[in-house]
Amino acid sequence: MAIIVNLDVMLAKRKMRSKELAEIIDITTANLSILKSGKAKAVRFSTLEAICKALDCQPADILEYIED
Amino acid sequence: MKTKKILKFMHILSWFVFIGLCIKTGGILISYFMSITTPEAAENLYAGLDLSEYYKHSFKQYTFIVSYKVALFATEAYIAFLVTQLLKALNLEKPFNLKVQKLMQSISYSIFNLWILAMIHNTHVQFIGIRYHYSMDLFSSDFIFLAGVIFIFAQIIKRGIEIQSENNLTI
Protein backbone atom coordinates (compact mmCIF):
# COMPACT_ATOMS: atom_id res chain seq x y z
CA MET A 1 0.00 0.00 0.00
CA ALA A 2 1.44 3.41 -1.00
CA ILE A 3 -0.14 5.25 1.96
CA ILE A 4 1.85 4.73 5.19
CA VAL A 5 0.23 5.33 8.58
CA ASN A 6 2.78 6.76 11.02
CA LEU A 7 0.60 6.41 14.09
CA ASP A 8 3.33 4.81 16.23
CA VAL A 9 5.58 7.86 15.73
CA MET A 10 2.87 10.28 16.88
CA LEU A 11 1.88 8.04 19.80
CA ALA A 12 5.54 8.01 20.95
CA LYS A 13 5.79 11.81 20.60
CA ARG A 14 2.63 12.32 22.66
CA LYS A 15 3.62 9.55 25.08
CA MET A 16 0.30 7.81 24.60
CA ARG A 17 -0.48 4.12 24.40
CA SER A 18 -2.53 2.53 21.59
CA LYS A 19 -5.15 1.34 24.04
CA GLU A 20 -5.55 4.87 25.39
CA LEU A 21 -5.95 6.34 21.92
CA ALA A 22 -8.48 3.64 20.97
CA GLU A 23 -10.59 4.54 24.02
CA ILE A 24 -10.43 8.28 23.29
CA ILE A 25 -11.46 7.98 19.65
CA ASP A 26 -13.96 5.19 20.40
CA ILE A 27 -12.66 2.40 18.17
CA THR A 28 -11.54 -1.09 19.17
CA THR A 29 -7.83 -1.85 19.75
CA ALA A 30 -8.15 -4.44 16.97
CA ASN A 31 -9.25 -1.77 14.48
CA LEU A 32 -6.47 0.56 15.65
CA SER A 33 -4.02 -2.29 15.14
CA ILE A 34 -5.36 -2.77 11.58
CA LEU A 35 -4.77 0.94 10.96
CA LYS A 36 -1.24 0.91 12.41
CA SER A 37 -0.20 -2.22 10.51
CA GLY A 38 -1.23 -0.79 7.14
CA LYS A 39 -3.92 -3.42 6.51
CA ALA A 40 -6.75 -0.89 6.45
CA LYS A 41 -8.36 -0.29 3.05
CA ALA A 42 -9.85 3.08 3.96
CA VAL A 43 -10.12 5.60 6.81
CA ARG A 44 -13.23 7.64 7.50
CA PHE A 45 -12.76 11.39 7.84
CA SER A 46 -14.52 11.20 11.20
CA THR A 47 -11.88 8.73 12.46
CA LEU A 48 -9.02 10.85 11.06
CA GLU A 49 -10.53 13.93 12.70
CA ALA A 50 -10.78 12.11 16.06
CA ILE A 51 -7.16 10.89 15.83
CA CYS A 52 -5.83 14.38 14.97
CA LYS A 53 -7.84 15.89 17.81
CA ALA A 54 -6.59 13.27 20.34
CA LEU A 55 -2.94 13.56 19.23
CA ASP A 56 -3.05 17.31 18.53
CA CYS A 57 -1.58 16.93 15.07
CA GLN A 58 -2.29 17.31 11.35
CA PRO A 59 -3.30 14.50 8.97
CA ALA A 60 0.09 14.90 7.25
CA ASP A 61 1.75 13.96 10.56
CA ILE A 62 0.00 10.60 10.46
CA LEU A 63 -0.35 9.83 6.74
CA GLU A 64 2.54 9.63 4.30
CA TYR A 65 2.60 8.73 0.61
CA ILE A 66 5.49 6.61 -0.66
CA GLU A 67 5.42 5.49 -4.28
CA ASP A 68 5.44 1.63 -4.66
CA MET B 1 -36.92 -15.97 12.70
CA LYS B 2 -39.33 -17.35 10.09
CA THR B 3 -36.51 -17.41 7.51
CA LYS B 4 -34.29 -19.37 9.91
CA LYS B 5 -37.02 -21.98 10.38
CA ILE B 6 -37.55 -22.28 6.64
CA LEU B 7 -33.80 -22.68 6.07
CA LYS B 8 -33.60 -25.30 8.83
CA PHE B 9 -36.47 -27.22 7.23
CA MET B 10 -34.81 -26.96 3.80
CA HIS B 11 -31.55 -28.25 5.30
CA ILE B 12 -33.28 -31.36 6.65
CA LEU B 13 -35.17 -31.81 3.36
CA SER B 14 -31.98 -31.53 1.33
CA TRP B 15 -30.43 -34.34 3.42
CA PHE B 16 -33.43 -36.55 2.61
CA VAL B 17 -33.08 -35.69 -1.10
CA PHE B 18 -29.35 -36.50 -0.99
CA ILE B 19 -29.88 -39.85 0.75
CA GLY B 20 -32.75 -40.70 -1.60
CA LEU B 21 -30.65 -39.98 -4.68
CA CYS B 22 -27.75 -42.05 -3.26
CA ILE B 23 -30.11 -44.97 -2.72
CA LYS B 24 -31.48 -44.54 -6.27
CA THR B 25 -28.00 -44.46 -7.81
CA GLY B 26 -26.83 -47.46 -5.75
CA GLY B 27 -30.01 -49.37 -6.52
CA ILE B 28 -29.60 -48.96 -10.28
CA LEU B 29 -25.94 -49.95 -10.07
CA ILE B 30 -26.69 -53.11 -8.05
CA SER B 31 -29.57 -54.05 -10.35
CA TYR B 32 -27.29 -53.62 -13.36
CA PHE B 33 -24.71 -56.04 -11.95
CA MET B 34 -27.50 -58.49 -11.12
CA SER B 35 -28.87 -58.20 -14.66
CA ILE B 36 -25.56 -59.51 -16.05
CA THR B 37 -26.53 -63.00 -14.87
CA THR B 38 -30.30 -62.46 -14.50
CA PRO B 39 -31.74 -60.63 -17.57
CA GLU B 40 -35.12 -60.20 -15.82
CA ALA B 41 -33.50 -57.62 -13.53
CA ALA B 42 -33.30 -55.22 -16.52
CA GLU B 43 -37.12 -55.00 -16.49
CA ASN B 44 -37.13 -53.18 -13.17
CA LEU B 45 -33.75 -51.64 -12.33
CA TYR B 46 -35.23 -49.22 -9.79
CA ALA B 47 -38.80 -48.05 -9.21
CA GLY B 48 -40.08 -49.37 -12.53
CA LEU B 49 -37.12 -48.31 -14.68
CA ASP B 50 -37.37 -50.76 -17.59
CA LEU B 51 -34.37 -51.01 -19.90
CA SER B 52 -35.04 -54.58 -21.06
CA GLU B 53 -35.53 -53.40 -24.67
CA TYR B 54 -31.92 -52.21 -24.80
CA TYR B 55 -30.74 -55.37 -23.01
CA LYS B 56 -32.39 -57.61 -25.62
CA HIS B 57 -31.03 -55.52 -28.48
CA SER B 58 -27.45 -55.10 -27.33
CA PHE B 59 -25.75 -55.50 -23.94
CA LYS B 60 -23.26 -52.79 -24.95
CA GLN B 61 -26.05 -50.27 -25.63
CA TYR B 62 -27.78 -51.32 -22.41
CA THR B 63 -24.53 -50.70 -20.48
CA PHE B 64 -24.20 -47.24 -22.07
CA ILE B 65 -27.76 -46.27 -21.12
CA VAL B 66 -27.33 -47.56 -17.55
CA SER B 67 -24.00 -45.65 -17.29
CA TYR B 68 -25.71 -42.43 -18.32
CA LYS B 69 -28.48 -42.95 -15.77
CA VAL B 70 -25.98 -43.72 -12.98
CA ALA B 71 -23.85 -40.69 -13.91
CA LEU B 72 -26.92 -38.42 -14.02
CA PHE B 73 -28.31 -39.56 -10.66
CA ALA B 74 -24.83 -39.50 -9.07
CA THR B 75 -24.39 -35.89 -10.24
CA GLU B 76 -27.82 -35.01 -8.86
CA ALA B 77 -26.83 -36.61 -5.54
CA TYR B 78 -23.61 -34.55 -5.51
CA ILE B 79 -25.59 -31.37 -6.16
CA ALA B 80 -27.97 -32.27 -3.32
CA PHE B 81 -24.92 -32.80 -1.06
CA LEU B 82 -23.54 -29.37 -2.05
CA VAL B 83 -26.93 -27.84 -1.21
CA THR B 84 -26.79 -29.43 2.28
CA GLN B 85 -23.31 -27.92 2.79
CA LEU B 86 -24.54 -24.54 1.51
CA LEU B 87 -27.48 -24.50 3.91
CA LYS B 88 -25.15 -25.55 6.74
CA ALA B 89 -22.62 -22.77 5.92
CA LEU B 90 -25.30 -20.08 5.51
CA ASN B 91 -25.28 -17.53 8.34
CA LEU B 92 -27.94 -14.85 7.97
CA GLU B 93 -25.99 -12.42 10.18
CA LYS B 94 -23.00 -12.59 7.81
CA PRO B 95 -24.28 -14.18 4.59
CA PHE B 96 -21.43 -13.02 2.37
CA ASN B 97 -18.58 -15.41 3.04
CA LEU B 98 -16.13 -17.16 0.76
CA LYS B 99 -17.43 -20.68 1.56
CA VAL B 100 -20.97 -19.81 0.46
CA GLN B 101 -19.68 -18.25 -2.76
CA LYS B 102 -17.49 -21.25 -3.60
CA LEU B 103 -20.35 -23.68 -2.88
CA MET B 104 -22.73 -21.73 -5.12
CA GLN B 105 -20.13 -21.70 -7.87
CA SER B 106 -19.62 -25.49 -7.47
CA ILE B 107 -23.39 -26.03 -7.64
CA SER B 108 -23.65 -24.00 -10.86
CA TYR B 109 -20.75 -25.94 -12.46
CA SER B 110 -22.30 -29.27 -11.38
CA ILE B 111 -25.67 -28.30 -12.86
CA PHE B 112 -23.87 -27.39 -16.07
CA ASN B 113 -22.19 -30.85 -16.07
CA LEU B 114 -25.63 -32.38 -15.47
CA TRP B 115 -26.95 -30.55 -18.52
CA ILE B 116 -24.10 -31.89 -20.68
CA LEU B 117 -24.71 -35.45 -19.43
CA ALA B 118 -28.45 -35.06 -20.08
CA MET B 119 -27.78 -33.84 -23.64
CA ILE B 120 -25.46 -36.80 -24.36
CA HIS B 121 -27.99 -39.23 -22.84
CA ASN B 122 -30.92 -37.78 -24.78
CA THR B 123 -29.00 -37.73 -28.08
CA HIS B 124 -27.99 -41.38 -27.69
CA VAL B 125 -31.48 -42.52 -26.60
CA GLN B 126 -33.14 -40.62 -29.45
CA PHE B 127 -30.68 -42.10 -31.96
CA ILE B 128 -31.41 -45.66 -30.80
CA GLY B 129 -35.12 -44.95 -30.34
CA ILE B 130 -35.60 -43.66 -33.89
CA ARG B 131 -33.41 -46.36 -35.45
CA TYR B 132 -34.89 -49.37 -33.65
CA HIS B 133 -38.33 -47.96 -32.71
CA TYR B 134 -37.78 -48.13 -28.97
CA SER B 135 -39.60 -46.05 -26.38
CA MET B 136 -37.65 -42.91 -25.48
CA ASP B 137 -37.28 -41.99 -21.82
CA LEU B 138 -35.57 -38.61 -22.05
CA PHE B 139 -33.99 -36.56 -19.27
CA SER B 140 -35.06 -32.97 -18.83
CA SER B 141 -32.39 -30.72 -20.36
CA ASP B 142 -33.54 -27.36 -18.99
CA PHE B 143 -30.70 -27.29 -16.46
CA ILE B 144 -28.62 -24.83 -18.45
CA PHE B 145 -30.95 -21.98 -17.46
CA LEU B 146 -30.76 -22.96 -13.77
CA ALA B 147 -26.96 -23.26 -13.97
CA GLY B 148 -26.77 -19.77 -15.47
CA VAL B 149 -29.02 -18.24 -12.81
CA ILE B 150 -27.05 -19.80 -9.94
CA PHE B 151 -23.75 -18.74 -11.53
CA ILE B 152 -25.03 -15.14 -11.64
CA PHE B 153 -26.04 -15.35 -7.96
CA ALA B 154 -22.57 -16.70 -7.13
CA GLN B 155 -20.94 -13.71 -8.85
CA ILE B 156 -23.23 -11.31 -6.98
CA ILE B 157 -22.25 -12.98 -3.68
CA LYS B 158 -18.57 -12.73 -4.70
CA ARG B 159 -18.96 -8.97 -5.23
CA GLY B 160 -20.85 -8.74 -1.94
CA ILE B 161 -17.90 -10.41 -0.18
CA GLU B 162 -15.48 -7.91 -1.73
CA ILE B 163 -17.64 -4.98 -0.61
CA GLN B 164 -18.09 -6.48 2.89
CA SER B 165 -14.34 -7.12 3.20
CA GLU B 166 -13.58 -3.52 2.20
CA ASN B 167 -16.18 -2.30 4.68
CA ASN B 168 -14.63 -4.39 7.46
CA LEU B 169 -11.22 -2.88 6.72
CA THR B 170 -12.54 0.69 6.73
CA ILE B 171 -11.61 2.27 10.09
Side-chain angles (χ1 to χ4, degrees), chain A residues 31 40-44 47, chain B residues 165-171:
Chain A
N31 279 350
K41 293 270 185 207
V43 179
R44 294 189 181 91
T47 307
Chain B
S165 170
E166 200 166 316
N167 197 40
N168 288 344
L169 293 173
T170 296
I171 311 299

PDB file of all heavy atoms in Angstrom, chain A residues 31 40-44 47, chain B residues 165-171:
ATOM      1  N   ASN A  31      -9.155  -2.671  15.651  1.00  0.00           N
ATOM      2  CA  ASN A  31      -9.252  -1.772  14.484  1.00  0.00           C
ATOM      3  C   ASN A  31      -8.067  -0.814  14.429  1.00  0.00           C
ATOM      4  O   ASN A  31      -7.549  -0.505  13.346  1.00  0.00           O
ATOM      5  CB  ASN A  31     -10.559  -0.982  14.516  1.00  0.00           C
ATOM      6  CG  ASN A  31     -11.730  -1.793  13.984  1.00  0.00           C
ATOM      7  OD1 ASN A  31     -11.525  -2.875  13.433  1.00  0.00           O
ATOM      8  ND2 ASN A  31     -12.930  -1.304  14.171  1.00  0.00           N
ATOM      9  N   ALA A  40      -5.475  -1.566   6.705  1.00  0.00           N
ATOM     10  CA  ALA A  40      -6.755  -0.893   6.446  1.00  0.00           C
ATOM     11  C   ALA A  40      -6.880  -0.508   4.979  1.00  0.00           C
ATOM     12  O   ALA A  40      -5.902  -0.120   4.340  1.00  0.00           O
ATOM     13  CB  ALA A  40      -6.869   0.343   7.325  1.00  0.00           C
ATOM     14  N   LYS A  41      -8.108  -0.651   4.444  1.00  0.00           N
ATOM     15  CA  LYS A  41      -8.361  -0.294   3.048  1.00  0.00           C
ATOM     16  C   LYS A  41      -8.759   1.180   2.936  1.00  0.00           C
ATOM     17  O   LYS A  41      -8.555   1.809   1.904  1.00  0.00           O
ATOM     18  CB  LYS A  41      -9.505  -1.147   2.492  1.00  0.00           C
ATOM     19  CG  LYS A  41      -9.168  -2.596   2.383  1.00  0.00           C
ATOM     20  CD  LYS A  41      -8.561  -2.929   1.056  1.00  0.00           C
ATOM     21  CE  LYS A  41      -8.372  -4.429   0.968  1.00  0.00           C
ATOM     22  NZ  LYS A  41      -7.302  -4.820   0.096  1.00  0.00           N
ATOM     23  N   ALA A  42      -9.370   1.697   3.997  1.00  0.00           N
ATOM     24  CA  ALA A  42      -9.852   3.080   3.960  1.00  0.00           C
ATOM     25  C   ALA A  42      -9.988   3.609   5.385  1.00  0.00           C
ATOM     26  O   ALA A  42     -10.105   2.830   6.333  1.00  0.00           O
ATOM     27  CB  ALA A  42     -11.201   3.154   3.255  1.00  0.00           C
ATOM     28  N   VAL A  43      -9.924   4.944   5.512  1.00  0.00           N
ATOM     29  CA  VAL A  43     -10.121   5.598   6.812  1.00  0.00           C
ATOM     30  C   VAL A  43     -11.215   6.641   6.646  1.00  0.00           C
ATOM     31  O   VAL A  43     -11.195   7.424   5.694  1.00  0.00           O
ATOM     32  CB  VAL A  43      -8.824   6.299   7.296  1.00  0.00           C
ATOM     33  CG1 VAL A  43      -9.061   6.984   8.630  1.00  0.00           C
ATOM     34  CG2 VAL A  43      -7.699   5.299   7.415  1.00  0.00           C
ATOM     35  N   ARG A  44     -12.167   6.624   7.550  1.00  0.00           N
ATOM     36  CA  ARG A  44     -13.233   7.637   7.501  1.00  0.00           C
ATOM     37  C   ARG A  44     -12.664   8.970   7.964  1.00  0.00           C
ATOM     38  O   ARG A  44     -11.767   9.024   8.815  1.00  0.00           O
ATOM     39  CB  ARG A  44     -14.383   7.225   8.414  1.00  0.00           C
ATOM     40  CG  ARG A  44     -15.103   5.977   7.942  1.00  0.00           C
ATOM     41  CD  ARG A  44     -16.389   5.725   8.746  1.00  0.00           C
ATOM     42  NE  ARG A  44     -17.025   4.511   8.261  1.00  0.00           N
ATOM     43  CZ  ARG A  44     -16.812   3.301   8.738  1.00  0.00           C
ATOM     44  NH1 ARG A  44     -15.994   3.129   9.758  1.00  0.00           N
ATOM     45  NH2 ARG A  44     -17.420   2.256   8.221  1.00  0.00           N
ATOM     46  N   THR A  47     -12.922   9.414  11.679  1.00  0.00           N
ATOM     47  CA  THR A  47     -11.877   8.731  12.459  1.00  0.00           C
ATOM     48  C   THR A  47     -10.584   9.552  12.415  1.00  0.00           C
ATOM     49  O   THR A  47      -9.921   9.733  13.452  1.00  0.00           O
ATOM     50  CB  THR A  47     -11.616   7.324  11.895  1.00  0.00           C
ATOM     51  OG1 THR A  47     -12.846   6.609  11.809  1.00  0.00           O
ATOM     52  CG2 THR A  47     -10.634   6.543  12.738  1.00  0.00           C
TER      53      THR A  47
ATOM     54  N   SER B 165     -15.732  -7.076   2.759  1.00  0.00           N
ATOM     55  CA  SER B 165     -14.340  -7.119   3.200  1.00  0.00           C
ATOM     56  C   SER B 165     -13.762  -5.701   3.268  1.00  0.00           C
ATOM     57  O   SER B 165     -13.085  -5.336   4.220  1.00  0.00           O
ATOM     58  CB  SER B 165     -13.546  -8.002   2.243  1.00  0.00           C
ATOM     59  OG  SER B 165     -12.191  -7.888   2.488  1.00  0.00           O
ATOM     60  N   GLU B 166     -14.068  -4.910   2.237  1.00  0.00           N
ATOM     61  CA  GLU B 166     -13.579  -3.520   2.195  1.00  0.00           C
ATOM     62  C   GLU B 166     -14.202  -2.713   3.342  1.00  0.00           C
ATOM     63  O   GLU B 166     -13.539  -1.891   3.973  1.00  0.00           O
ATOM     64  CB  GLU B 166     -13.964  -2.903   0.850  1.00  0.00           C
ATOM     65  CG  GLU B 166     -13.120  -1.690   0.503  1.00  0.00           C
ATOM     66  CD  GLU B 166     -13.250  -1.271  -0.943  1.00  0.00           C
ATOM     67  OE1 GLU B 166     -13.228  -2.147  -1.829  1.00  0.00           O
ATOM     68  OE2 GLU B 166     -13.400  -0.068  -1.168  1.00  0.00           O
ATOM     69  N   ASN B 167     -15.471  -2.997   3.596  1.00  0.00           N
ATOM     70  CA  ASN B 167     -16.176  -2.300   4.679  1.00  0.00           C
ATOM     71  C   ASN B 167     -15.579  -2.656   6.038  1.00  0.00           C
ATOM     72  O   ASN B 167     -15.430  -1.804   6.914  1.00  0.00           O
ATOM     73  CB  ASN B 167     -17.657  -2.673   4.631  1.00  0.00           C
ATOM     74  CG  ASN B 167     -18.515  -1.727   5.422  1.00  0.00           C
ATOM     75  OD1 ASN B 167     -18.291  -0.515   5.397  1.00  0.00           O
ATOM     76  ND2 ASN B 167     -19.474  -2.251   6.136  1.00  0.00           N
ATOM     77  N   ASN B 168     -15.235  -3.932   6.207  1.00  0.00           N
ATOM     78  CA  ASN B 168     -14.628  -4.388   7.459  1.00  0.00           C
ATOM     79  C   ASN B 168     -13.260  -3.756   7.704  1.00  0.00           C
ATOM     80  O   ASN B 168     -12.851  -3.576   8.847  1.00  0.00           O
ATOM     81  CB  ASN B 168     -14.473  -5.924   7.459  1.00  0.00           C
ATOM     82  CG  ASN B 168     -15.802  -6.631   7.606  1.00  0.00           C
ATOM     83  OD1 ASN B 168     -16.790  -6.018   7.999  1.00  0.00           O
ATOM     84  ND2 ASN B 168     -15.841  -7.890   7.273  1.00  0.00           N
ATOM     85  N   LEU B 169     -12.551  -3.469   6.588  1.00  0.00           N
ATOM     86  CA  LEU B 169     -11.216  -2.875   6.720  1.00  0.00           C
ATOM     87  C   LEU B 169     -11.255  -1.352   6.557  1.00  0.00           C
ATOM     88  O   LEU B 169     -10.234  -0.728   6.296  1.00  0.00           O
ATOM     89  CB  LEU B 169     -10.255  -3.500   5.697  1.00  0.00           C
ATOM     90  CG  LEU B 169      -9.931  -4.974   5.940  1.00  0.00           C
ATOM     91  CD1 LEU B 169      -9.114  -5.542   4.795  1.00  0.00           C
ATOM     92  CD2 LEU B 169      -9.160  -5.152   7.242  1.00  0.00           C
ATOM     93  N   THR B 170     -12.418  -0.772   6.711  1.00  0.00           N
ATOM     94  CA  THR B 170     -12.544   0.694   6.728  1.00  0.00           C
ATOM     95  C   THR B 170     -12.659   1.103   8.186  1.00  0.00           C
ATOM     96  O   THR B 170     -13.601   0.724   8.878  1.00  0.00           O
ATOM     97  CB  THR B 170     -13.776   1.150   5.931  1.00  0.00           C
ATOM     98  OG1 THR B 170     -13.603   0.802   4.570  1.00  0.00           O
ATOM     99  CG2 THR B 170     -13.981   2.660   6.028  1.00  0.00           C
ATOM    100  N   ILE B 171     -11.656   1.897   8.670  1.00  0.00           N
ATOM    101  CA  ILE B 171     -11.613   2.273  10.088  1.00  0.00           C
ATOM    102  C   ILE B 171     -12.266   3.647  10.245  1.00  0.00           C
ATOM    103  O   ILE B 171     -11.895   4.581   9.578  1.00  0.00           O
ATOM    104  CB  ILE B 171     -10.151   2.287  10.587  1.00  0.00           C
ATOM    105  CG1 ILE B 171      -9.441   0.992  10.178  1.00  0.00           C
ATOM    106  CG2 ILE B 171     -10.092   2.528  12.090  1.00  0.00           C
ATOM    107  CD1 ILE B 171     -10.044  -0.288  10.737  1.00  0.00           C
TER     108      ILE B 171
END
